[in-house]
Amino acid sequence: MTGRITLVGPAHPYKGGGARHTTELAHRLSALGHETGIESWRAQYPAALYPGTQTITNPEGEPSPDTRHELAWYRPDGWWRAGRRLADENDLVVLTLFSPVQVPAYLGVLAGIRSRRGSGTRVVALCHNVLPHERRAVDVSLVRALLRRVDGVLTHSAEQAHLAEGLLGPDRPRPVVAEMPPHLPETGAAPASDAPEEKRNLLFFGIVRPYKGVDVLLRALAEGAPDDVTLTVAGEFWGGSTELADLTKELGLTGRVRFREGYVPADELPGLLAEADALVLPYRSATATQNVWLAHEHGLPVIATRAGTLADHVREGVDGLLCEPGDTGDLARALAAFYEPGVPARLRDGVRPVEAEPYWRAYTDRLLSA
């Protein structure tokens, strides 16, 4: 049975995995026969709460043709009006939750939907993060208020479902768990060569925030990697790079670490990945990330912690190595093991690109059942 569905969340010109996921989900639902649109943002976050660049010029995939950009964080009246319109037009509305900052707007949209009595529109909260990795006291209250007002909740791991269940309270439907499917940027480049020479360089890629563990990686590099191995840290630095630059100097790594600050557009990713022997994901905590699959798409092995779902996508000793989150010594061990003779080539030989279709088939089924 098909119907009209609207996804409320970021889409181009907003950047990053959130916008790619929302857009790809719209395409996938449309391919299943659902009339699908996106209700996106004219202004998603106050600049003070998101210090990086929020938008990009060139889309990182094919935009969804049915996309509106009318929501603004500073226009509560628009939230309610959007909700009333969505109730009139849709069988299902999906609120994509990335941050509690979105919750006031979503509560306004919900109020508008519920004001259309008898509309029958169901509302599902699709939680990329139930709660932030670095949370404030108000975050729990905000997310609890949202989850208790929707008809269903979808999370990307059992751990996140358990967290959501604690906020829902008794006598509420249990959250549905669906593994995050691949929504990789279109980089416009073929995977790296099957047997390149060692670059003696490691790569960290993504927004640099404390929970990502770059400081742990720096200490592990100093402790466990061979002296000729370098590291590139590429991405937006949340709050600036001063502390990590100071730590780099303190550890005597100034000549071995390069900070490539700022958002990395899709067309620059192949070059960064081609310069590395492995992508390193030293996360202290995680929900889901596309970066393992992104590295594998370009023929690159991954060194990652067992945080969140990272370990689900790395085959230990086949296409990458795993270590414990927040453990400098264990990450240093993994870096040393990776650079044992012949290991980089053997792990690269084990890399296979992800097959996206089965993940998306399961994901859309679970979402529509929420």
Side-chain angles (χ1 to χ4, degrees), residues 58-223:
N58 298 320
E60 296 181 325
E62 182 64 32
S64 174
D66 186 2
T67 302
R68 303 171 67 113
H69 295 87
E70 297 187 6
L71 294 173
W73 64 265
Y74 53 80
R75 289 298 302 269
D77 58 320
W79 309 341
W80 188 78
R81 284 199 305 270
R84 287 176 66 84
R85 174 170 47 77
L86 290 171
D88 291 340
E89 298 173 351
N90 291 273
D91 303 295
L92 173 64
V93 173
V94 179
L95 305 175
T96 61
L97 179 65
F98 296 91
S99 166
V101 176
Q102 298 169 294
V103 170
Y106 285 170
L107 291 175
V109 170
L110 268 170
I113 292 172
R114 302 306 190 207
S115 73
R116 292 298 205 197
R117 299 186 184 281
S119 72
T121 301
R122 291 180 59 79
V123 182
V124 169
L126 192 166
C127 299
H128 288 260
N129 297 301
V130 174
L131 290 169
H133 297 277
E134 298 138 6
R135 66 192 62 160
R136 306 161 300 167
V138 71
D139 293 336
V140 172
S141 299
L142 284 170
V143 176
R144 180 188 293 119
L146 176 67
L147 298 190
R148 291 188 177 186
R149 286 169 170 80
V150 297
D151 300 302
V153 176
L154 181 141
T155 70
H156 290 147
S157 70
E159 179 185 37
Q160 288 287 295
H162 180 72
L163 186 58
E165 199 168 1
L167 299 175
L168 283 166
D171 304 320
R172 295 283 295 166
R174 298 188 65 179
V176 169
V177 179
E179 184 175 3
M180 171 86 84
H183 48 269
L184 302 176
E186 295 181 4
T187 60
S193 167
D194 289 337
E197 71 281 1
E198 286 185 20
K199 307 299 192 302
R200 310 298 284 183
N201 181 56
L202 299 168
L203 173 66
F204 171 92
F205 162 73
I207 294 179
V208 182
R209 300 184 66 169
Y211 78 88
K212 298 285 188 75
V214 175
D215 59 319
V216 178
L217 175 54
L218 291 172
R219 296 181 189 280
L221 182 72
E223 180 179 323

